[in-house]
Amino acid sequence: EWIRQVKEKRPDLAEFMDFISITGLRLNEAIKSYNLIRKLSREGRLNSYYNEEKEALEHFRYEELFLRKGKKAFVSFVPKQFIRRISQNKNEITKDTVVMAVKRMGLKQRFSDLRELHGSILTRYLSESEINFLHGRIGASVFMQNYFNPVWINDLKERVFKGIKEIRTFIS
């Protein structure tokens, strides 16, 4: 309901709200990713970040933005239509813009709940290790460091997209 309220009162933030909901990125990561998509698209270099064949944003290619010491984002699966909509959006997003817009509406800041929703819904389609990978929580476990390799999971994208479809029913 919160997402619908934000989108209704601020249609200019609708694409961003959909984006943060379907990626499960943290607010700062989502803002950086959203703006990077727009920038690279304008420069004709979107393919350096978005792998169209895999329908994946490859955050690991931009280490300085997405691979911080404590918090990381490696990859986000995003359908092409969302990337096209973001690419066409002329408005840059800043944390202040988003936070203040929500505050002016008299709504609570519930961005962390979106990440929680994303992870919770994905539990129906993915294993805990796969969700941890997508959310950048690769811990010190022997399995995660040495054996987990998403390249070997051919149907990961399809299962994530099932989760995204379900998330969209909640936010539309």
Side-chain angles (χ1 to χ4, degrees):
E1 184 58 34
W2 178 80
I3 299 166
R4 283 189 228 114
Q5 289 175 335
V6 173
K7 289 167 55 173
E8 183 181 306
K9 292 180 181 181
R10 287 293 302 268
D12 59 314
L13 295 177
E15 276 88 17
F16 177 74
M17 294 303 293
D18 287 347
F19 180 71
I20 193 171
S21 300
I22 67 169
T23 61
L25 291 169
R26 295 169 187 90
L27 178 59
N28 285 334
E29 295 165 345
I31 290 168
K32 289 175 187 176
S33 180
Y34 186 91
N35 289 328
L36 186 58
I37 292 166
R38 291 177 54 259
K39 176 184 182 282
L40 293 173
S41 180
R42 281 194 317 269
E43 295 172 358
R45 298 185 312 119
L46 184 57
N47 62 347
S48 71
Y49 181 41
Y50 183 67
N51 184 324
E52 195 167 333
E53 180 184 327
K54 294 178 183 171
E55 292 184 273
L57 289 167
E58 297 176 335
H59 308 300
F60 62 85
R61 295 188 185 280
Y62 290 84
E63 282 181 52
E64 67 285 354
L65 296 175
F66 300 106
L67 300 181
R68 299 175 291 163
K69 186 176 181 177
K71 298 179 179 182
K72 297 169 180 43
F74 298 105
V75 129
S76 295
F77 291 100
V78 182
K80 292 173 193 169
Q81 76 251 25
F82 283 100
I83 298 299
R84 285 189 198 110
R85 283 176 27 203
I86 293 167
S87 296
Q88 295 167 356
N89 196 322
K90 292 176 176 52
N91 300 325
E92 182 174 3
I93 300 290
T94 66
K95 185 174 182 180
D96 288 341
T97 304
V98 176
V99 169
M100 291 307 292
V102 171
K103 189 175 183 176
R104 284 186 193 114
M105 290 177 216
L107 300 173
K108 290 182 180 180
Q109 302 295 316
R110 300 194 58 194
F111 294 101
S112 61
D113 291 350
L114 300 180
R115 186 169 169 82
E116 194 175 299
L117 171 72
H118 183 266
S120 296
I121 289 176
L122 288 184
T123 61
R124 298 179 188 139
Y125 306 98
L126 291 113
S127 70
E128 182 181 341
S129 299
E130 293 166 332
I131 295 168
N132 285 338
F133 169 71
L134 291 175
H135 280 198
R137 289 187 299 263
I138 305 242
S141 77
V142 172
F143 173 73
M144 290 304 290
Q145 286 188 341
N146 299 303
Y147 300 108
F148 180 74
N149 186 344
V151 171
W152 298 113
I153 306 168
N154 297 326
D155 66 336
L156 184 61
K157 179 183 91 170
E158 286 76 24
R159 289 184 290 126
V160 170
F161 277 18
K162 285 179 183 178
I164 287 172
K165 184 177 180 180
E166 190 172 335
I167 290 168
R168 292 187 66 208
T169 63
F170 282 102
I171 65 174
S172 297

